[in-house]
Amino acid sequence: MKILEDRLLIGRFKTGDTEALRRIYEKYKNSLLKLAIVLVNDANRAEDVVHDVFLSFAKSIERIQPRGNLKNYLATSVVNRIRSIRRDAARHNTEQIRDIDCRLCDLPRPEQWAILSEELTLLSSAMRELPEEQREAVALRIEGNMSFKKIAEIQNVPANTAKGRFRYGIDKLRSTLNGKV
Amino acid sequence: MNPAENIKNQIKNLRTQASAEFDEKMYRKFQQALGKEKAYTAFQNPNTLRLIMHSRITKLATAAVIAIAAVLGITFLGPPGTAAYALEQTIEAGQGVRYLHFYFSSLDSNTTFKEAWLEYDDNGQIKNTRVNWYNQPSGDMVAVWKEGRTQYWNKKEKTLRFFEDEIYTKKCVAFAKRYDPTRTVENMYYLERKGDVKIEIEEPAEKSKPIILTCTWLPNTFITEGTSPQMREIVFVDPVTKLVTSIEVYKLEEGEYEACGVWEYPDYDTLFEPGIFDLEEEAPADVKRLDLMTLDIGLERTDLTKEEIAVKAVRSFLEALIAKDYDRAIKIYGYEDPDDKEGLLKRFEKLNIVRIISIDEPIVPRLDARGELEVPCKVELEEDGQIIEWQIDGVFAQRVIGHPNRWCVKGKFEK
């Protein structure tokens, strides 16, 4: 019903209404967690990413205009945060790259807060087999509900390239999962 | 379904759920980030936030509706699919509400955000109103209307204006009537009978979903003064309390409805903080206080019509400029801060107007509720020894605030 709800929530949060931030968090936390999980293939890392994204959003609310698409904004922030972590890791320690891309633990650790279904674990592992660009295109299209034009903007490629990455990614996922989800 | 669609749907349907521990961690971080104790309270206890149905008044109002319904023989608890809702239920549910707090978010190019508080007296008459404007191009502003006197605080300018203006008072009362959702529905109810508004009611079969009223306003019926295009309001009504929860506003532009903004009503009958209607106390000491009632500006309207005084004010102003009588020009132009007179003098001294070529019939600006009139005018100007024609853009005439029988001139007058 609330086609304008996000703009209203941003406007309210800008005025210091913390309840508005809570509502934004509640509204998008699960979809962002899923997006981050399929991108980093690790529930703990995904939570860290979502944590950073929301915290950064809360701190930079003054600069955010209420007229954009909030879900797209947050999803793009997740992608950017993951890229930034990868860049930092690449600079400091090549081992950490593997750590970021590590396979999902078979058993959730006690501190692992996100509750994962078996299917999501399988999907996350299958996503790991995709090249990073295809993984992003698939995740942003399916989890972020983004247009190819928007994905192309984020990836800085023509829209047809983004479309191609998505198609190849889906084909590969289908063959990897082979009816497992 | 093709295999690609199939895998997409399978992926889409996978769910994950942030745990309570993760939520707790986030709430703590938000609290630290915002540096507010109250933030944590709000995050920690979302369920303790006031719910409309927990309001004593609402319960009483709802009980009253049921009682009235019983007397009138209205069946609310009929079989599924029965059109049980009627506008009267919302009107009844809102009776007796003393305090109303709401928000408005506009979606025009200068996205603004408004927050308002209304207080009624024991007889249901407007007692006090307060409106905060945020994200305004000209800075945040606050207007309080309290027992006929208006306080107007421009935070960017650091000014606080005071005035008593009968027309402004009427507008404040009209604002309250217009945007108090109960009164809005009541107003629509009567306007529908007059034929000015068309209302369609959509009551979803699923009882937890809101009742939706689609109200279409004929051109020039949406605002109390001035013109407006055809407008549409989508009113969302809580199916349990029958109180309005939000209103989306659209205007008809080139055959399509374009979103203008949304009103949201989260609080019915929550007591306001003391002093919310006293800006003199709230505004810091370095905010300049301006009492508009003491100013001697504008031109007397006498018995002229609005159009006649608008033309006269503009003509007199231009004549004063031609005569280089800047005191008179500044008086007709008007000001709210006497310290602005020097800046006006510098601006007007640069204009070397030598002759009025024409002053045309005033025009009522579109979608404007301030009652001002645009006065097209053309003059001759001497510039670098040459005489040139100048069609002056954006010349307006309007009432002087606080002095309803005087009119002044507005416009940039910059070439």
Side-chain angles (χ1 to χ4, degrees), chain A residues 65-126:
Chain A
Q65 287 301 313
R67 52 179 85 98
N69 179 320
L70 180 58
K71 189 177 178 188
N72 273 3
Y73 173 85
L74 292 171
T76 307
S77 301
V78 165
V79 170
N80 288 339
R81 181 68 195 134
I82 290 167
R83 287 179 179 176
S84 164
I85 291 170
R86 283 186 211 284
R87 272 197 306 272
D88 287 351
R91 267 201 299 273
H92 294 107
N93 188 342
T94 50
E95 273 304 302
Q96 285 181 16
I97 299 174
R98 282 199 286 277
D99 188 30
I100 287 163
D101 279 337
C102 75
R103 285 188 175 279
L104 201 64
C105 303
D106 290 333
L107 292 170
R109 298 203 299 270
E111 68 274 23
Q112 190 168 307
W113 291 320
I115 300 166
L116 292 175
S117 66
E118 190 183 347
E119 290 85 358
L120 187 55
T121 309
L122 279 170
L123 170 67
S124 182
S125 298

Side-chain angles (χ1 to χ4, degrees), chain A residues 1 3-4 7-8 12 19 22 25-26 29-30 34 51 67 113 115 119 142 145 166 170 181, chain B residues 8 10-12 14 16-19 21 23 25 27 43 46 49 107 109 111 113 236 250 264:
Chain A
M1 140 207 165
I3 57 167
L4 309 171
R7 298 176 193 214
L8 186 65
R12 282 174 57 179
E19 166 63 9
R22 190 188 68 77
Y25 169 72
E26 291 293 337
K29 63 179 182 182
N30 290 334
K34 189 178 162 195
H51 164 270
R67 52 179 85 98
W113 291 320
I115 300 166
E119 290 85 358
I142 298 180
N145 278 331
F166 172 76
I170 286 288
V181 296
Chain B
K8 273 194 281 182
Q10 285 177 336
I11 294 170
K12 217 177 177 67
L14 294 177
T16 188
Q17 172 72 49
S19 66
E21 289 86 353
D23 287 343
K25 179 185 174 187
Y27 296 155
F43 287 126
L49 292 168
L107 300 173
S109 53
T111 303
F113 186 69
F236 296 90
Y250 300 82
E264 197 182 59

Side-chain angles (χ1 to χ4, degrees), chain B residues 231-242:
Chain B
M231 305 291 286
R232 176 164 282 178
E233 287 183 301
I234 313 287
V235 181
F236 296 90
V237 177
D238 185 297
V240 177
T241 65
K242 302 295 187 287

Side-chain angles (χ1 to χ4, degrees), chain B residues 103-134:
Chain B
Y103 302 94
F104 176 70
S105 175
S106 80
L107 300 173
D108 56 20
S109 53
N110 298 318
T111 303
T112 58
F113 186 69
K114 247 185 253 183
E115 185 175 11
W117 294 258
L118 302 182
E119 182 181 353
Y120 293 98
D121 65 16
D122 292 338
N123 301 316
Q125 300 299 310
I126 303 286
K127 193 175 170 194
N128 302 312
T129 71
R130 172 177 175 139
V131 185
N132 287 15
W133 286 266
Y134 307 100

Side-chain angles (χ1 to χ4, degrees), chain A residues 13-181:
Chain A
F13 182 42
K14 273 172 176 280
T15 68
D17 182 349
T18 49
E19 166 63 9
L21 176 60
R22 190 188 68 77
R23 281 173 61 182
I24 291 169
Y25 169 72
E26 291 293 337
K27 190 171 174 184
Y28 292 116
K29 63 179 182 182
N30 290 334
S31 62
L32 293 182
L33 263 178
K34 189 178 162 195
L35 174 67
I37 286 168
V38 295
L39 282 171
V40 300
N41 190 32
D42 180 304
N44 289 310
R45 296 280 181 193
E47 285 176 349
D48 288 345
V49 166
V50 172
H51 164 270
D52 292 351
V53 164
F54 271 116
L55 211 54
S56 165
F57 172 76
K59 285 176 179 171
S60 58
I61 188 68
E62 288 302 321
R63 298 197 301 274
I64 293 167
Q65 287 301 313
R67 52 179 85 98
N69 179 320
L70 180 58
K71 189 177 178 188
N72 273 3
Y73 173 85
L74 292 171
T76 307
S77 301
V78 165
V79 170
N80 288 339
R81 181 68 195 134
I82 290 167
R83 287 179 179 176
S84 164
I85 291 170
R86 283 186 211 284
R87 272 197 306 272
D88 287 351
R91 267 201 299 273
H92 294 107
N93 188 342
T94 50
E95 273 304 302
Q96 285 181 16
I97 299 174
R98 282 199 286 277
D99 188 30
I100 287 163
D101 279 337
C102 75
R103 285 188 175 279
L104 201 64
C105 303
D106 290 333
L107 292 170
R109 298 203 299 270
E111 68 274 23
Q112 190 168 307
W113 291 320
I115 300 166
L116 292 175
S117 66
E118 190 183 347
E119 290 85 358
L120 187 55
T121 309
L122 279 170
L123 170 67
S124 182
S125 298
M127 288 284 277
R128 184 178 172 272
E129 304 301 321
L130 302 182
E132 194 181 323
E133 296 78 13
Q134 289 179 16
R135 199 188 308 173
E136 263 185 19
V138 169
L140 290 175
R141 179 73 178 164
I142 298 180
E143 293 310 314
N145 278 331
M146 282 188 196
S147 64
F148 287 118
K149 192 179 162 202
K150 181 72 192 164
I151 296 168
E153 271 174 34
I154 293 169
Q155 296 196 325
N156 200 22
V157 293
N160 277 339
T161 307
K163 213 170 184 171
R165 286 175 176 175
F166 172 76
R167 202 177 58 242
Y168 285 124
I170 286 288
D171 286 348
K172 192 162 184 188
L173 274 182
R174 201 174 65 244
S175 97
T176 309
L177 292 168
N178 194 21
K180 288 179 189 164
V181 296

Side-chain angles (χ1 to χ4, degrees), chain B residues 277-323:
Chain B
F277 297 116
D278 188 355
L279 296 183
E280 199 154 6
E281 192 65 34
E282 185 179 329
D286 64 343
V287 171
K288 190 189 268 186
R289 271 70 174 164
L290 302 168
D291 188 345
L292 305 193
M293 304 309 293
T294 61
L295 300 175
D296 178 18
I297 54 172
L299 209 61
E300 285 293 334
R301 177 174 171 177
T302 60
D303 56 353
L304 299 177
T305 64
K306 280 200 309 189
E307 290 75 14
E308 287 167 344
I309 183 62
V311 170
K312 184 180 176 184
V314 171
R315 182 178 296 281
S316 303
F317 170 70
L318 293 173
E319 284 173 350
L321 287 181
I322 293 167

